[in-house]
Amino acid sequence: QKEVEQDPGPLSVPEGAIVSLNCTYSNSAFQYFMWYRQYSRKGPELLMYTYSSGNKEDGRFTAQVDKSSKYISLFIRDSQPSDSATYLCAMRRGADGLTFGKGTHLIIQP
Amino acid sequence: GAVVSQHPSRVICKSGTSVKIECRSLDFQATTMFWYRQFPKQSLMLMATSNEGSKATYEQGVEKDKFLINHASLTLSTLTVTSAHPEDSSFYICSVSQGLGQPQHFGDGTRLSIL
Protein backbone atom coordinates (compact mmCIF):
# COMPACT_ATOMS: atom_id res chain seq x y z
CA GLN A 1 0.00 0.00 0.00
CA LYS A 2 1.35 3.39 -0.97
CA GLU A 3 1.62 6.01 1.74
CA VAL A 4 -0.55 8.46 -0.20
CA GLU A 5 -3.27 7.45 -2.64
CA GLN A 6 -4.72 9.88 -5.18
CA ASP A 7 -6.86 9.14 -8.22
CA PRO A 8 -4.90 10.33 -11.29
CA GLY A 9 -8.07 11.04 -13.31
CA PRO A 10 -8.52 12.72 -15.66
CA LEU A 11 -11.42 14.51 -14.04
CA SER A 12 -13.45 16.59 -16.47
CA VAL A 13 -16.13 19.03 -15.28
CA PRO A 14 -18.01 21.95 -16.87
CA GLU A 15 -17.03 25.52 -16.11
CA GLY A 16 -18.68 26.84 -12.94
CA ALA A 17 -18.99 23.42 -11.30
CA ILE A 18 -17.68 22.59 -7.84
CA VAL A 19 -14.65 20.35 -8.01
CA SER A 20 -13.80 17.83 -5.32
CA LEU A 21 -10.31 16.34 -5.15
CA ASN A 22 -9.28 13.77 -2.56
CA CYS A 23 -6.36 11.87 -1.09
CA THR A 24 -6.10 9.13 1.48
CA TYR A 25 -3.00 8.27 3.46
CA SER A 26 -1.81 5.48 5.69
CA ASN A 27 0.89 7.08 7.85
CA SER A 28 -0.67 8.61 10.95
CA ALA A 29 2.60 10.45 11.66
CA PHE A 30 1.89 13.01 8.95
CA GLN A 31 1.30 16.38 10.55
CA TYR A 32 1.11 18.91 7.73
CA PHE A 33 -1.07 18.70 4.65
CA MET A 34 -0.74 20.65 1.42
CA TRP A 35 -2.32 21.02 -1.95
CA TYR A 36 -0.26 22.11 -4.93
CA ARG A 37 -1.24 22.98 -8.48
CA GLN A 38 1.14 22.03 -11.26
CA TYR A 39 0.92 23.19 -14.86
CA SER A 40 2.72 21.25 -17.56
CA ARG A 41 6.52 21.61 -17.38
CA LYS A 42 6.33 23.88 -14.34
CA GLY A 43 7.05 23.47 -10.64
CA PRO A 44 4.20 22.91 -8.15
CA GLU A 45 2.51 26.04 -6.84
CA LEU A 46 1.28 25.99 -3.24
CA LEU A 47 -2.49 26.43 -2.95
CA MET A 48 -3.37 25.40 0.59
CA TYR A 49 -1.50 24.43 3.75
CA THR A 50 -3.09 23.00 6.88
CA TYR A 51 -2.00 21.14 9.98
CA SER A 52 -5.17 20.36 11.87
CA SER A 53 -8.40 18.54 11.18
CA GLY A 54 -11.18 20.73 9.87
CA ASN A 55 -11.72 23.18 7.05
CA LYS A 56 -9.59 26.03 5.75
CA GLU A 57 -10.89 28.44 3.15
CA ASP A 58 -9.00 30.75 0.80
CA GLY A 59 -11.01 32.41 -1.93
CA ARG A 60 -12.53 29.74 -4.16
CA PHE A 61 -10.50 26.99 -2.49
CA THR A 62 -11.40 25.00 0.62
CA ALA A 63 -9.10 22.40 2.12
CA GLN A 64 -10.51 19.77 4.43
CA VAL A 65 -8.55 17.40 6.67
CA ASP A 66 -9.96 14.44 8.58
CA LYS A 67 -7.10 12.89 10.52
CA SER A 68 -9.30 10.20 12.08
CA SER A 69 -10.15 8.87 8.62
CA LYS A 70 -6.74 9.78 7.10
CA TYR A 71 -8.52 11.65 4.33
CA ILE A 72 -7.97 15.09 2.86
CA SER A 73 -9.94 17.02 0.26
CA LEU A 74 -9.68 20.15 -1.83
CA PHE A 75 -12.82 21.86 -3.11
CA ILE A 76 -12.76 24.41 -5.90
CA ARG A 77 -15.85 26.58 -6.29
CA ASP A 78 -16.90 28.35 -9.49
CA SER A 79 -14.28 26.44 -11.47
CA GLN A 80 -12.65 28.21 -14.41
CA PRO A 81 -10.86 26.87 -17.50
CA SER A 82 -7.66 28.35 -16.04
CA ASP A 83 -8.01 25.91 -13.14
CA SER A 84 -7.20 23.08 -15.56
CA ALA A 85 -3.98 21.57 -14.23
CA THR A 86 -2.66 18.68 -12.18
CA TYR A 87 -3.46 18.93 -8.48
CA LEU A 88 -1.07 17.26 -6.07
CA CYS A 89 -1.72 16.49 -2.44
CA ALA A 90 1.35 16.39 -0.23
CA MET A 91 2.06 15.54 3.39
CA ARG A 92 4.86 16.04 5.81
CA ARG A 93 6.06 14.72 9.13
CA GLY A 94 8.02 17.25 11.14
CA ALA A 95 10.83 18.78 9.11
CA ASP A 96 10.97 15.89 6.62
CA GLY A 97 10.57 16.26 2.89
CA LEU A 98 7.14 15.92 1.35
CA THR A 99 5.34 12.73 0.38
CA PHE A 100 3.17 13.38 -2.65
CA GLY A 101 0.13 11.76 -4.16
CA LYS A 102 0.28 10.88 -7.82
CA GLY A 103 -1.69 13.98 -8.79
CA THR A 104 -5.15 14.39 -10.32
CA HIS A 105 -5.36 15.80 -13.85
CA LEU A 106 -8.28 18.26 -13.84
CA ILE A 107 -9.96 19.56 -16.98
CA ILE A 108 -12.48 22.41 -16.80
CA GLN A 109 -14.57 22.51 -19.95
CA PRO A 110 -15.58 26.02 -21.15
CA GLY B 1 7.01 36.75 -7.04
CA ALA B 2 9.22 33.70 -7.27
CA VAL B 3 10.59 32.31 -4.04
CA VAL B 4 12.90 29.77 -5.63
CA SER B 5 15.04 30.03 -8.75
CA GLN B 6 16.29 26.91 -10.48
CA HIS B 7 18.80 26.81 -13.32
CA PRO B 8 19.04 25.57 -16.01
CA SER B 9 15.45 24.84 -16.98
CA ARG B 10 16.40 22.39 -19.71
CA VAL B 11 19.45 20.26 -20.38
CA ILE B 12 20.11 17.86 -23.22
CA CYS B 13 23.43 16.07 -23.19
CA LYS B 14 25.23 12.90 -24.12
CA SER B 15 25.50 9.82 -21.97
CA GLY B 16 28.45 9.97 -19.58
CA THR B 17 28.24 13.74 -19.07
CA SER B 18 27.96 15.25 -15.59
CA VAL B 19 25.27 17.88 -15.16
CA LYS B 20 25.01 20.50 -12.42
CA ILE B 21 21.66 22.01 -11.41
CA GLU B 22 21.43 25.09 -9.18
CA CYS B 23 18.67 25.95 -6.73
CA ARG B 24 18.54 29.41 -5.18
CA SER B 25 16.32 30.64 -2.37
CA LEU B 26 15.40 34.21 -3.28
CA ASP B 27 13.33 35.43 -0.35
CA PHE B 28 14.94 33.94 2.74
CA GLN B 29 17.91 32.04 4.02
CA ALA B 30 17.29 28.32 3.85
CA THR B 31 19.28 25.97 6.04
CA THR B 32 17.43 23.10 4.42
CA MET B 33 16.50 22.53 0.79
CA PHE B 34 14.97 19.46 -0.78
CA TRP B 35 15.57 17.75 -4.12
CA TYR B 36 12.84 15.79 -5.88
CA ARG B 37 12.58 13.83 -9.11
CA GLN B 38 9.49 13.35 -11.26
CA PHE B 39 9.27 10.77 -14.03
CA PRO B 40 6.54 11.13 -16.70
CA LYS B 41 3.05 10.48 -15.32
CA GLN B 42 4.52 9.83 -11.89
CA SER B 43 4.46 11.83 -8.70
CA LEU B 44 7.32 13.82 -7.26
CA MET B 45 9.64 11.62 -5.25
CA LEU B 46 11.97 12.99 -2.60
CA MET B 47 15.59 12.25 -3.45
CA ALA B 48 17.52 14.00 -0.72
CA THR B 49 17.53 16.69 1.93
CA SER B 50 20.24 19.28 1.48
CA ASN B 51 21.63 20.73 4.71
CA GLU B 52 23.70 23.89 4.73
CA GLY B 53 27.22 23.22 5.96
CA SER B 54 26.80 19.46 6.33
CA LYS B 55 26.24 16.31 4.30
CA ALA B 56 23.00 15.74 2.50
CA THR B 57 20.59 13.05 3.65
CA TYR B 58 19.57 10.68 0.87
CA GLU B 59 16.38 8.67 0.57
CA GLN B 60 16.55 4.92 0.28
CA GLY B 61 17.50 3.83 -3.21
CA VAL B 62 19.13 7.12 -4.21
CA GLU B 63 22.85 6.77 -4.89
CA LYS B 64 24.75 9.50 -3.08
CA ASP B 65 27.81 9.07 -5.30
CA LYS B 66 25.69 9.52 -8.40
CA PHE B 67 23.71 12.53 -7.18
CA LEU B 68 26.15 14.89 -5.50
CA ILE B 69 24.60 17.65 -3.41
CA ASN B 70 26.43 20.73 -2.20
CA HIS B 71 24.73 23.30 0.04
CA ALA B 72 27.56 25.77 0.47
CA SER B 73 25.51 28.82 1.42
CA LEU B 74 22.15 29.64 2.95
CA THR B 75 20.71 30.53 -0.45
CA LEU B 76 22.26 28.01 -2.82
CA SER B 77 22.15 24.23 -3.19
CA THR B 78 23.48 22.35 -6.20
CA LEU B 79 22.70 18.87 -7.48
CA THR B 80 25.24 17.25 -9.78
CA VAL B 81 24.19 14.19 -11.72
CA THR B 82 27.48 12.42 -12.36
CA SER B 83 28.10 10.31 -15.46
CA ALA B 84 24.47 10.62 -16.47
CA HIS B 85 22.77 7.84 -18.43
CA PRO B 86 19.46 7.77 -20.31
CA GLU B 87 17.68 6.30 -17.27
CA ASP B 88 18.58 9.48 -15.37
CA SER B 89 16.41 11.50 -17.76
CA SER B 90 13.75 13.10 -15.59
CA PHE B 91 12.36 16.34 -14.18
CA TYR B 92 14.51 17.46 -11.23
CA ILE B 93 13.03 20.03 -8.90
CA CYS B 94 14.08 21.66 -5.66
CA SER B 95 12.13 23.22 -2.82
CA VAL B 96 12.86 25.47 0.14
CA SER B 97 11.13 25.96 3.46
CA GLN B 98 11.50 28.68 6.05
CA GLY B 99 11.57 26.12 8.80
CA LEU B 100 9.70 23.54 10.83
CA GLY B 101 6.01 23.73 10.22
CA GLN B 102 6.37 26.02 7.22
CA PRO B 103 5.26 25.02 3.71
CA GLN B 104 7.71 24.20 0.95
CA HIS B 105 8.00 26.36 -2.13
CA PHE B 106 9.23 24.89 -5.40
CA GLY B 107 11.34 26.07 -8.26
CA ASP B 108 10.26 25.53 -11.85
CA GLY B 109 12.42 22.45 -12.22
CA THR B 110 15.06 21.23 -14.64
CA ARG B 111 14.13 18.88 -17.44
CA LEU B 112 17.13 16.62 -18.03
CA SER B 113 17.38 14.52 -21.19
CA ILE B 114 20.31 12.17 -21.64
CA LEU B 115 20.85 10.91 -25.17
Side-chain angles (χ1 to χ4, degrees):
Chain A
Q1 182 189 13
K2 291 186 178 179
E3 279 195 292
V4 180
E5 298 277 2
Q6 184 177 11
D7 186 340
L11 175 63
S12 184
V13 301
E15 182 176 356
I18 296 175
V19 176
S20 173
L21 303 166
N22 311 293
C23 287
T24 59
Y25 62 96
S26 58
N27 189 346
S28 58
F30 286 132
Q31 299 169 285
Y32 306 100
F33 305 89
M34 287 135 276
W35 285 95
Y36 288 86
R37 177 173 62 194
Q38 186 177 27
Y39 293 110
S40 181
R41 300 180 182 275
K42 288 289 195 178
E45 173 194 5
L46 180 67
L47 291 176
M48 299 293 282
Y49 175 71
T50 61
Y51 53 85
S52 58
S53 284
N55 294 350
K56 180 178 181 180
E57 190 174 317
D58 184 0
R60 296 185 296 113
F61 299 95
T62 299
Q64 193 173 76
V65 174
D66 183 345
K67 289 188 176 182
S68 62
S69 300
K70 297 189 183 69
Y71 187 89
I72 69 170
S73 300
L74 177 71
F75 299 97
I76 307 174
R77 290 183 298 281
D78 188 26
S79 56
Q80 305 294 314
S82 58
D83 293 329
S84 297
T86 296
Y87 288 79
L88 301 158
C89 64
M91 307 177 189
R92 185 182 192 186
R93 179 187 61 187
D96 290 353
L98 299 179
T99 300
F100 281 88
K102 206 170 183 178
T104 298
H105 181 46
L106 175 66
I107 302 167
I108 307 298
Q109 302 165 334
Chain B
V3 177
V4 182
S5 172
Q6 193 170 334
H7 178 80
S9 59
R10 183 85 163 100
V11 179
I12 303 173
C13 57
K14 293 181 180 179
S15 184
T17 306
S18 291
V19 178
K20 180 186 280 189
I21 302 169
E22 292 187 348
C23 178
R24 293 183 183 274
S25 176
L26 301 178
D27 280 6
F28 50 83
Q29 294 181 329
T31 55
T32 303
M33 295 186 184
F34 300 91
W35 287 96
Y36 296 81
R37 180 168 53 181
Q38 186 177 33
F39 291 107
K41 299 190 184 299
Q42 299 293 317
S43 188
L44 281 83
M45 296 295 293
L46 178 66
M47 296 176 67
T49 302
S50 171
N51 304 298
E52 189 269 337
S54 65
K55 291 183 179 180
T57 305
Y58 291 83
E59 295 299 300
Q60 191 173 11
V62 178
E63 299 175 56
K64 62 181 182 182
D65 295 330
K66 175 124 182 111
F67 299 99
L68 301 179
I69 292 173
N70 187 311
H71 194 153
S73 78
L74 287 171
T75 58
L76 175 65
S77 175
T78 61
L79 169 69
T80 301
V81 184
T82 61
S83 187
H85 292 287
E87 59 266 28
D88 298 321
S89 298
S90 188
F91 188 55
Y92 292 86
I93 189 162
C94 68
S95 73
V96 302
S97 172
Q98 281 186 275
L100 180 65
Q102 298 300 310
Q104 292 184 20
H105 298 275
F106 287 83
D108 270 342
T110 297
R111 192 160 300 277
L112 176 62
S113 298
I114 308 299
L115 304 177

